[in-house]
């Protein structure tokens, strides 16, 4: 999203919040009664509370229909935008659809009244940016985080300091190109990982139970939104912007890369919101795509909820994309495609004339309003006073609690990835490290820890502050004026480095280098950072430790290959407690277990245009393909890579089936193909029978306890050429093991889902041949006959 107004106030606010170590306590309310949040159907107002739409004994369906039937055309139109007007005669207050909660309740830039943080509640728990949280490969952690975010959001609402309970998170687009400025917001490049993240996040924030139960009438703690639907992963690259970019996506890539996370988000997560993206896909603007919004999401996946446009996306359809011939056609296109609410003013401005010109009928509008009011009702906003309902007991004491802040620390610990540890430099000894030099432009900037779409944190601990708590004699120099590092204070930094037992360099990127509307044009460290690092490493007494703060990958081969750089940590943007987690890992109070959720490409990868959406390689033209599933070129670090202070060994102890013969499994008649069968033809019953349970024994062979995510991949005998992924993730589970302890993890693999790939026309197929379950260096063959 982009802000409607200038962004300065927020940025100023964030800097104020975070430049120093601020501990903001929710101010004590001087009143016993805080202002009530806005709600409808107050029992104290008999003239409105007697309407059927206020009757909690009726279904949401009936209530929403009743409400919509009472509105005039002008009132209806006023509800089609994110700032939905109050309808005082029916006791309905103003509603703001736009709020943000990507990794903590956040401020939406330029939005009035969503969540303002300008009253008595000034902060919320700020978790690591999503790309780092994803690196923990821990679905339960993601669920717990989202649950806390939903709890804090509801508490802020109950305190009368938020209006919106519809949050436009998570961002589940595939991190297709390493240059994408918003890749940091996503769980990475893998569709299975991204889908599982989506499900955990949505269930957690919406208040579902992980066992799949749902509360009566689909009641929501707060509402989540799967965005940006679909194939949106370019912001602004060499003059190509997201507002006019037409993504050419093959049916094949659509089916097995771009759509699966959205399918999971809707089918398993039961998200109550979807956002259609700015861009066009194969010539059609996403928000005007009936096949996408209505046929696929609502029809095939059973989506129940509302669909919003990205902000101002509707105005682009006629004005910039020239897809519609007039304002009224654009309005008709989106309403008939199945979009329900427009972030912006466009539908408020042009719907009336679209109706007058006969391009839109009132029933098109009613369809949208039904979806919109159903979600507001599921949020409990039409049930009278919130204090008498579920979640009504949450309040200021549920925000920034010690438990929530511990979870933010736990998430940072879980995600941070150890990329290099030559000669076991790390962990440093707490007792023997007498002095430390901390150098780098990212060592002591609190706001950099937060990434984008952040709210004001409860408190922050920078890497410098975290390290100082271990070593009293710690000295700091930023090395450069900022991450751009146009000039480096090399001689001062070198002098400092020479004076200390150990040197920790905290380098990388920040939101000025990668963010919304800002894709990178290279994959290297900005300015003089690399030469600064190398000079310091050369001068230091011992090999140095390099900590990288960045969302997207950076080609740091120079550091990987430099013997004077002994340890490298990737810490993403690690959230409010990030500096503490980094220090704990450096000094061995936590054993790192994170694994990269994305490929770190060499810098030459930028030779392919960011606009080329193809996932699969094209050897004839030298196109290398994208992500670990298809790209077979050189890598700086690969997907799933991550070291720890201990060693784990794996062994398959049992696999329930090693031969899958779909000829005998399948009972129905089906077409004969040579070598492959479509998943649809196998049928759900046979798919169920084909499920494979695999038990893997894991042993911690080292000397330190650790939490370790075990990644299970599928590798194919590569007959299918570039059409099949080289390998693909089929499951992940974490296991916590003490030194020398053995444990086991069980995976349930569903061949129809996990062993299939899309064919050219987008149908999912399974091929005959040997496939291998792979964990670490262990492989288990499964022979498939169709
Ligand atoms: C907070 O900001 C909103 C506008 O975003 C304003 O309506 C409200 O009065 C403000 N509250 C306080 C306590 O300043
Ligand atoms: C809608 O109309 C208002 C008032 O005329 C105008 O300021 C605004 O720019 C318009 N917005 C859009 C998206 O059409
Ligand atoms: C750093 O570089 C970026 C990208 O060139 C630029 O937009 C930004 O303004 C620079 N920041 C400073 C503080 O100079
Ligand atoms: C783990 O195993 C690797 C490869 O066998 C070895 O180089 C490394 O030293 C081991 N690390 C530990 C902590 O035992």
């Amino acid at each position: 999203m982009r802000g409607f107004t200038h962004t300065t106030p927020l940025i100023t606010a964030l800097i104020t919040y975070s430049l120093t170590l601020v501990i903001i306590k929710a101010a004590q309310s001087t009143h016993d009664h805080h202002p009530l949040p806005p709600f409808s159907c107050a029992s104290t107002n008999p003239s409105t509370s007697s309407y059927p739409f206020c009757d909690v004994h009726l279904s949401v369906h009936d209530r929403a229909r009743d409400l919509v039937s009472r509105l005039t055309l002008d009132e209806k139109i006023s509800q089609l935008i994110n700032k939905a007007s109050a309808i005082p005669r029916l006791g309905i207050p103003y509603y703001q659809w736009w709020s943000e909660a990507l990794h903590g309740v956040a401020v939406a830039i330029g939005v009035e009244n969503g969540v303002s943080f300008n009253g008595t509640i000034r902060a919320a728990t700020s978790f690591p940016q999503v790309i780092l949280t994803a690196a923990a490969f821990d679905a339960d952690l993601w669920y717990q985080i989202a649950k806390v975010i939903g709890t804090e959001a509801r508490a802020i609402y109950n305190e009368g300091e938020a209006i919106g309970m519809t949050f436009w998170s998570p961002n589940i687009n595939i991190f297709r190109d390493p240059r994408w400025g918003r890749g940091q917001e996503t769980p990475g490049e893998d569709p299975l990982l991204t889908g599982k993240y989506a499900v955990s996040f949505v269930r957690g924030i919406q208040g579902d139970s992980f066992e799949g139960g749902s509360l009566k009438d689909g009641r929501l703690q707060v509402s989540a939104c799967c965005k940006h639907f679909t194939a949106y992963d370019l912001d602004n690259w060499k003059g190509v912007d997201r507002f006019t970019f037409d993504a050419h996506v093959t049916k094949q890539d659509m089916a097995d890369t771009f759509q699966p996370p959205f399918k999971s988000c809707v089918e398993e997560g039961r998200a109550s919101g979807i956002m259609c993206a700015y861009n066009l896909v194969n010539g059609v603007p996403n928000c005007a795509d009936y096949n996408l919004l209505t046929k696929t999401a609502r029809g095939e996946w059973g989506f129940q909820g509302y669909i919003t446009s990205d902000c101002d996306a509707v105005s682009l359809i006629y004005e910039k994309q020239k897809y519609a011939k007039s304002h009224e056609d654009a309005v008709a296109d989106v309403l008939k495609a199945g979009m329900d609410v427009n972030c912006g003013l466009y539908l408020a401005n042009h719907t009336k004339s679209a109706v007058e010109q006969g391009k839109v009928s009132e029933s098109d509008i009613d369809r949208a309003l039904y979806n919109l009011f159903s979600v507001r009702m599921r949020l409990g906003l039409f049930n009278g006073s919130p204090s008498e309902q579920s979640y009504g007991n949450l309040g200021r004491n549920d925000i920034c609690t010690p438990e929530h802040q511990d979870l933010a620390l736990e998430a940072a610990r879980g995600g941070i990835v150890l990329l290099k540890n030559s000669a076991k430099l790390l962990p440093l000894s707490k007792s023997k490290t007498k002095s430390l030099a901390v150098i780098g432009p990212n060592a002591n900037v609190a706001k950099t820890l937060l990434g984008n779409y952040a709210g004001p944190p409860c408190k922050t601990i920078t890497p410098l502050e975290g390290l100082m708590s271990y070593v009293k004699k710690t000295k700091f120099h930023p090395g450069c004026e900022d991450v751009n590092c146009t000039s480096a204070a090399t001689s001062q930094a070198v002098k400092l480095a020479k004076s200390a037992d150990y040197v920790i360099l905290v380098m990388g990127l920040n939101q000025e280098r990668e963010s919304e509307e800002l894709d990178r044009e290279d994959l290297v460290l900005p300015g003089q950072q690399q030469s600064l690092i190398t000079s310091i490493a050369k001068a230091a007494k011992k090999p140095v430790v390099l900590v990288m703060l960045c969302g997207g990958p950076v080609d740091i081969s120079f550091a990987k290959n430099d013997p004077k750089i002994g340890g490298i940590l990737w810490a993403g943007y690690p959230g409010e407690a990030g500096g503490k987690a980094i220090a704990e890992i450096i000094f061995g109070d936590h054993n790192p277990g994170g694994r990269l959720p994305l490929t770190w490409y060499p810098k030459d990868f930028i030779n392919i245009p960011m606009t080329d959406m193809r996932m699969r390689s094209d050897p004839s033209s030298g196109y290398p393909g994208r992500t670990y599933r298809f790209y077979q070129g050189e890598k700086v670090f690969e997907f799933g890579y991550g070291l720890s202070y201990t060693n784990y060994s794996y062994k398959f102890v049992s696999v329930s089936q090693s031969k899958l013969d779909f000829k005998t499994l399948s009972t129905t008649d089906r077409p004969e193909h040579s070598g492959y069968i479509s998943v649809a033809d196998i049928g759900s019953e046979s798919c169920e029978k084909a499920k494979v349970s695999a038990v893997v024994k894991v042993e911690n062979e080292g000397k330190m306890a650790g939490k370790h995510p075990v990644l299970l991949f599928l590798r194919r005998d590569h007959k299918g050429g570039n059409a099949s992924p080289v390998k693909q993730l089929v499951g992940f589970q974490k296991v916590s093991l003490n030194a020398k302890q053995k444990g086991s993890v069980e995976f349930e693999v569903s061949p129809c889902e996990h062993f299939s790939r899309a064919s050219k026309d987008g149908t999912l197929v399974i091929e005959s041949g040997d496939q291998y379950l792979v964990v670490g260096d262990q492989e288990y063959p499964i022979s498939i006959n169709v």
Side-chain angles (χ1 to χ4, degrees), residues 440-442 448 478-490 506-514 518 520-534 546-556 558 573 600 603:
N442 272 343
T448 300
C480 323
E481 76 290 358
D482 55 34
V483 295
N484 286 359
C485 204
T486 46
S487 62
T490 309
V506 190
M507 313 296 284
L509 308 175
N510 67 13
Q511 300 304 308
E512 288 185 6
R513 307 296 310 191
E514 53 170 353
L518 181 64
R520 282 181 293 162
E521 288 186 11
D522 62 49
L523 293 176
V524 294
L525 279 170
Q528 305 296 307
Q529 285 198 41
Q530 176 172 334
S531 71
L532 178 68
I533 295 168
T534 308
L546 171 63
V547 178
M548 290 288 295
L549 297 190
C550 54
V554 178
D555 181 346
I556 50 167
F558 78 92
Y573 296 116
W600 284 41
K603 58 180 184 292

Side-chain angles (χ1 to χ4, degrees), residues 251-267:
K251 287 184 174 152
Q252 193 172 31
D253 288 339
M254 194 58 109
D256 64 13
T257 295
F258 297 104
Q259 294 294 62
F262 288 95
K263 184 170 190 272
S264 302
C265 196
V266 168
E267 284 187 345

Side-chain angles (χ1 to χ4, degrees), residues 8-71:
T8 335
L10 170 81
I11 290 168
T12 319
L14 276 182
I15 292 169
T16 320
Y17 284 124
S18 43
L19 257 184
T20 46
L21 172 68
V22 207
I23 301 181
I24 303 159
K25 286 197 186 137
Q28 294 286 312
S29 175
T30 47
H31 313 284
D32 284 347
H33 300 287
H34 56 74
L36 282 174
F39 60 88
S40 303
C41 305
S43 56
T44 50
N45 185 353
S47 72
T48 61
S49 64
S50 58
Y51 287 122
F53 69 76
C54 289
D55 184 349
V56 295
H57 303 294
L58 297 178
S59 67
V60 163
H61 175 88
D62 291 344
R63 296 171 70 193
R65 280 195 182 276
D66 175 69
L67 197 167
V68 173
S69 75
R70 291 171 192 281
L71 304 180

Side-chain angles (χ1 to χ4, degrees), residues 112-113 116 118-119:
E112 288 161 49
N113 310 111
S116 306
N118 64 348

Side-chain angles (χ1 to χ4, degrees), residues 652-692:
F652 284 102
V653 289
S654 74
V655 175
S656 64
Q657 320 199 47
S658 56
K659 274 200 170 73
L660 291 171
D661 188 345
F662 286 96
K663 287 208 169 80
T664 57
L665 276 169
S666 174
T667 50
T668 49
D669 285 343
R670 57 187 176 82
E672 288 290 330
H673 299 290
S674 57
Y676 70 93
I677 181 173
S678 84
V679 169
D681 286 337
I682 294 171
S684 54
E685 204 179 304
S686 306
C687 281
E688 198 57 37
K689 277 192 263 171
K691 279 190 175 161
V692 178

